[in-house]
Amino acid sequence: MAEDLLLIEGTKEEQYEALLPQIKALIEGEEDLVANLANIAASLKQQFRWLWVGFYLVRNDELVLGPFQGPVACTRIQKGRGVCGKSWELASTILVPDVEKFPGHIACSSLSKSEIVLPLFVNERVMGVLDIDSEHLDSFDTTDQRFLKEIVSWINFT
Ligand code: SME
């Protein structure tokens, strides 16, 4: 297939609805985890132009930076630390409308104003997180949570 992404304008839902089948096409049939995480991060960054989109993966009881798009970022995050470590610990999605109001938030970039972090599961086990940062306050809501949850459910860790 051609690896060009068709970017669209419209509501957030319309953007996700156009993007999801394209991401699915990019990753289905490819079994390499790093390749798929890289293309998911790039697709989301290209469509939504967020500040930072990327993955942290659980390695020896800490989160280690994985494929991402955006400015350089912290390499390792301990369980329970920052939004990413908290999402891992709680095994749940965390929406942060204002990062300055999240106790323990790890500021990889001073430009980040709001954030969403979703855990990546295999069965009940958290294998890593998807972390997205925005330069604007209150960028993420349950619409993002719903569509991003669907995208991360396609990730094959085996
Ligand atoms: N802000 C995150 C750290 C990762 S960077 O945003 C890429 C956190 O508090 O866990």
Side-chain angles (χ1 to χ4, degrees), residues 52 56 73-74 77 81-85 104-108 115 131 133:
W52 197 91
Y56 283 89
C74 332
I77 298 174
R81 298 285 310 279
V83 189
C84 292
H105 168 257
I106 300 166
C108 289
E115 183 165 359
D131 178 19
D133 288 77

Side-chain angles (χ1 to χ4, degrees), residues 80-96:
R81 298 285 310 279
V83 189
C84 292
K86 193 52 90 177
S87 172
W88 174 22
E89 185 178 66
L90 301 176
S92 65
T93 296
I94 302 181
L95 287 150
V96 185

Side-chain angles (χ1 to χ4, degrees), residues 44-92:
L44 290 167
K45 175 88 162 107
Q46 265 188 279
Q47 175 62 50
F48 291 103
R49 300 167 188 274
W50 289 310
L51 174 66
W52 197 91
V53 181
F55 294 91
Y56 283 89
L57 299 172
V58 174
R59 300 269 184 262
N60 296 325
D61 217 37
E62 59 185 350
L63 289 171
V64 181
L65 184 62
F68 72 95
Q69 296 270 318
V72 294
C74 332
T75 315
R76 288 169 191 270
I77 298 174
Q78 308 304 311
K79 197 176 208 172
R81 298 285 310 279
V83 189
C84 292
K86 193 52 90 177
S87 172
W88 174 22
E89 185 178 66
L90 301 176
S92 65

